[in-house]
Amino acid sequence: MPGELIAANPFVEFALLLTLAALFGVAARLLKQPLIVAFIALGIVCGPSVLDIIYSLDQIHLLSDIGIAILLFVVGLKLDLGLIRTTGGVALSTGLGQVVFTSLFGFLIALGLGFSPTASLYIAVALTFSSTIIIVKLLSDKKEIDSLHGQIAVGFLIVQDIVVILVMIVLSALGQDGDGSMGLIVLGVVLKGALLVAVTGVMMRWALPSLTHYLAGSQELLVLFAIAWAVLLAAVSELMGFSREVGAFLAGVSLASTHYREVISGRLVSIRDFLLLFFFINLGAHLDLSLLGAQMGAAVLLSLFVLIGNPLIVMIIMGLMGYRKRTGFLAGLTVAQISEFSLIFAALGLSLGHISEDVVGLITLVGLITIGLSTYMILYSHPLFERLSSSLSLFEQKAPFRESDVRVSTSRHVDAIVFGLGRYGGNVVRQLRKQGLVVLGVDFDPQTVKRLKLEGVDTQYGDLEDPDLAEQLPLHSARYVISTMPQLQGNLTLLKTLRTQGYRGKVVLTAHHSAHANTLQEAGADQVLMPFIDAAEVIGERLQAI
């Protein structure tokens, strides 16, 4: 009876799906898991293998397609080629190197598991892509998006995004029906592709800037136009024989140079996430649990390759390029999972008839395993590095020259060492220098280090939670070590490191909460700064003096 009621009323069906999605999302948050894992699990539970309450397959599939189009549109919209230039050759070398080596070894592993060459190729390529959305979210939550390893990771993730778009273009071309020779087919694809890019370029150069400027008077109309433009170009791309994803990506790129990219992307993120819910539900609903059970062995083997092999490949490349083992390790962990693009890529292969549903199921199972486990690996990356640090020296040159140019001599004299050079920390440094103190500033953002250096401040790149950093600092002469960073765990790590080094000067730390301040004082801090409370007290004193 309940099944008949749901089947007869799509509104009730969607209400039930959304309610369950919210409950699954809460569970994922409690387990510190990305929502992707929860939504795929929801699709499996609601699909024919368990509850079998999904009847509006066509509507869900349509919402799924629109969600994918907006996802690719936002990727194109936020494509930051400047970041690749900023991180230099390491983004290109690491991104392309990881794609090549993962594809090669993944292909050989899949062949060894008995898959056909075509299926092995799809599996191998799917294993190379890491989730930009998940990684950026995790690094942002950990306040590491501006660190050296964070910038490098985002740089090579952008490279991966570009590669997956190119691969989808090639697959779309291969999926076209044609009675002529391969040469004519390729020529037709090139000509149509050039026409699509040329029309987009013309719109980008002469029409879109003035049009978006006019529409910006109403943000609702601007966002509506952006969605319409993304879906329209996706449809045109499909009519020309390419995939919808290619057109949506080009639509995003065409608006990336306008002044309104941030406004559009900010408004579309929630819409994107909502519509992608239906992609993952649709994906999970089509998974056959009996097939997944039979593929568990292969999924575990491929997952171990992604969880261990991908970070090792990144560490080897970055080690050869002269980066420290810690930077390579933290950046390498960001590729220890496959992405939503891997699942979209597999779905595209299924629609083209290149692979079967069991291969899609295998890739999805690898996604569930790697996304789930790698999330914890990234969240606890610093304790994990401390445990493995002694065995990772193989991935670091004796003189890691890429990071040696931002270090100072440990024998030079300084009065104070300040960690954190943002707005608060930068002003602390300036005030101490006005009082005649010799100050060394330390920050994990290379751009911040460079900016303070231009002001004449002695600076050094370094991370508060790096246990090896203290050995590279002139602690013997410093009367004060000051952390302006409010992260509790980072400050506790700094205290432990200073104690290990036998530092006898004064340690001044920062906290935003009274409970954290008490913890730091109990751990041995000489003084704890609380910027907001301190500022409020100063304001109160000044008001009384008026």
Side-chain angles (χ1 to χ4, degrees):
M1 186 67 178
E4 295 176 0
L5 175 64
I6 295 172
N9 195 329
F11 189 84
V12 173
E13 176 188 351
F14 273 72
L16 181 59
L17 287 176
L18 292 176
T19 302
L20 290 174
L23 293 175
F24 274 64
V26 170
R29 182 174 176 83
L30 292 174
L31 295 172
K32 297 183 178 180
Q33 284 294 315
L35 291 179
I36 288 177
V37 176
F39 294 158
I40 294 176
L42 173 64
I44 295 174
V45 171
C46 294
S49 299
V50 185
L51 297 179
D52 194 18
I53 58 173
I54 297 179
Y55 298 94
S56 305
L57 292 175
D58 291 339
Q59 292 91 328
I60 290 176
H61 188 72
L62 176 60
L63 292 173
S64 167
D65 288 343
I66 297 174
I68 293 172
I70 293 180
L71 169 66
L72 271 294
F73 174 76
V74 173
V75 169
L77 191 66
K78 301 181 76 171
L79 187 63
D80 190 354
L81 297 178
L83 181 60
I84 298 179
R85 290 194 296 268
T86 301
T87 52
V90 64
L92 286 171
S93 300
T94 308
L96 295 178
Q98 184 262 323
V99 167
V100 171
F101 283 106
T102 300
S103 298
L104 175 61
F105 290 112
F107 180 75
L108 295 176
I109 293 173
L111 282 179
L113 291 171
F115 290 95
S116 68
T118 301
S120 297
L121 182 60
Y122 268 88
I123 292 170
V125 174
L127 299 182
T128 64
F129 305 127
S130 303
S131 178
T132 304
I133 295 174
I134 293 175
I135 297 307
V136 169
K137 178 68 166 61
L138 289 173
L139 291 178
S140 298
D141 290 346
K142 293 184 68 182
K143 304 295 189 294
E144 295 181 7
I145 195 70
D146 292 324
S147 65
L148 180 60
H149 68 267
Q151 292 186 19
I152 292 173
V154 174
F156 61 63
L157 288 173
I158 290 174
V159 173
Q160 288 185 0
D161 290 344
I162 295 173
V163 170
V164 72
I165 295 299
L166 295 176
V167 170
M168 287 182 177
I169 293 174
V170 173
L171 286 178
S172 300
L174 292 176
Q176 296 184 49
D177 296 324
D179 298 327
S181 66
M182 180 58 68
L184 290 176
I185 294 175
V186 171
L187 179 61
V189 169
V190 171
L191 290 176
K192 287 190 288 186
L195 177 61
L196 182 62
V197 172
V199 171
T200 305
V202 170
M203 292 290 292
M204 179 178 174
R205 176 66 178 84
W206 284 286
L208 291 176
S210 56
L211 181 58
T212 53
H213 180 71
Y214 172 76
L215 296 175
S218 168
Q219 290 194 7
E220 292 80 3
L221 186 57
L222 180 65
V223 172
L224 176 61
F225 166 75
I227 296 174
W229 177 238
V231 176
L232 174 63
L233 215 56
V236 170
S237 176
E238 185 175 41
L239 291 174
M240 295 181 69
F242 299 104
S243 70
R244 291 184 290 266
E245 292 82 3
V246 173
F249 177 77
L250 286 177
V253 172
S254 68
L255 292 177
S257 59
T258 67
H259 298 297
Y260 310 103
R261 56 180 283 183
E262 297 299 333
V263 174
I264 295 172
S265 64
R267 289 293 189 95
L268 286 183
V269 164
S270 297
I271 299 174
R272 175 203 67 190
D273 293 343
F274 174 73
L275 291 174
L276 281 179
L277 159 68
F278 296 100
F279 169 75
F280 295 117
I281 289 177
N282 185 56
L283 183 67
H286 284 84
L287 294 179
D288 189 335
L289 289 183
S290 62
L291 292 177
L292 293 184
Q295 294 173 332
M296 184 58 71
V300 169
L301 180 60
L302 291 171
S303 296
L304 288 174
F305 171 65
V306 173
L307 290 166
I308 300 173
N310 279 359
L312 285 177
I313 291 170
V314 170
M315 289 181 66
I316 290 171
I317 295 173
M318 291 186 64
L320 293 174
M321 295 188 70
Y323 287 89
R324 295 170 60 225
K325 60 183 180 182
R326 185 174 185 276
T327 305
F329 178 81
L330 296 178
L333 288 184
T334 63
V335 295
Q337 88 288 127
I338 67 173
S339 80
E340 63 281 356
F341 277 126
S342 303
L343 307 181
I344 295 171
F345 172 72
L348 177 61
L350 178 64
S351 68
L352 294 174
H354 294 169
I355 57 176
S356 60
E357 288 188 359
D358 61 331
V359 176
V360 177
L362 173 62
I363 293 173
T364 305
L365 188 55
V366 172
L368 287 171
I369 295 172
T370 56
I371 291 172
L373 293 179
S374 68
T375 297
Y376 291 115
M377 292 167 63
I378 294 171
L379 288 175
Y380 300 102
S381 57
H382 297 289
L384 193 59
F385 174 77
E386 288 185 28
R387 288 181 175 273
L388 300 175
S389 177
S390 58
S391 59
L392 297 176
S393 299
L394 176 67
F395 302 100
E396 180 178 282
Q397 298 184 22
K398 291 183 178 179
F401 59 91
R402 290 281 183 176
E403 299 181 49
S404 62
D405 59 337
V406 290
R407 303 195 179 281
V408 300
S409 171
T410 57
S411 61
R412 71 164 298 171
H413 171 80
V414 297
D415 296 309
I417 300 174
V418 178
F419 288 87
L421 303 177
R423 285 179 296 179
Y424 180 53
N427 286 322
V428 169
V429 168
R430 295 180 188 100
Q431 189 62 36
L432 292 175
R433 295 183 75 211
K434 286 181 180 178
Q435 295 176 7
L437 297 182
V438 179
V439 183
L440 170 64
V442 183
D443 198 282
F444 65 15
D445 183 353
Q447 303 307 315
T448 299
V449 170
K450 185 181 297 184
R451 187 174 66 251
L452 268 291
K453 187 181 287 291
L454 292 175
E455 293 184 23
V457 179
D458 286 334
T459 56
Q460 175 169 327
Y461 170 80
D463 193 336
L464 189 69
E465 297 189 52
D466 184 354
D468 298 328
L469 180 61
E471 299 177 1
Q472 302 149 10
L473 297 173
L475 291 174
H476 68 284
S477 63
R479 290 185 285 157
Y480 308 99
V481 170
I482 304 170
S483 168
T484 65
M485 309 289 287
Q487 286 81 10
L488 176 62
Q489 189 56 51
N491 283 321
L492 290 174
T493 300
L494 177 62
L495 273 173
K496 178 182 176 181
T497 303
L498 293 174
R499 203 158 36 229
T500 303
Q501 293 292 320
Y503 177 69
R504 297 183 179 181
K506 301 296 183 182
V507 180
V508 181
L509 306 177
T510 299
H512 285 172
H513 306 285
S514 298
H516 290 179
N518 293 333
T519 301
L520 294 174
Q521 287 176 336
E522 291 172 1
D526 294 291
Q527 186 173 350
V528 178
L529 305 175
M530 301 190 69
F532 299 117
I533 294 178
D534 296 342
E537 291 176 353
V538 171
I539 291 172
E541 292 173 0
R542 290 184 178 179
L543 289 176
Q544 289 179 355
I546 295 177

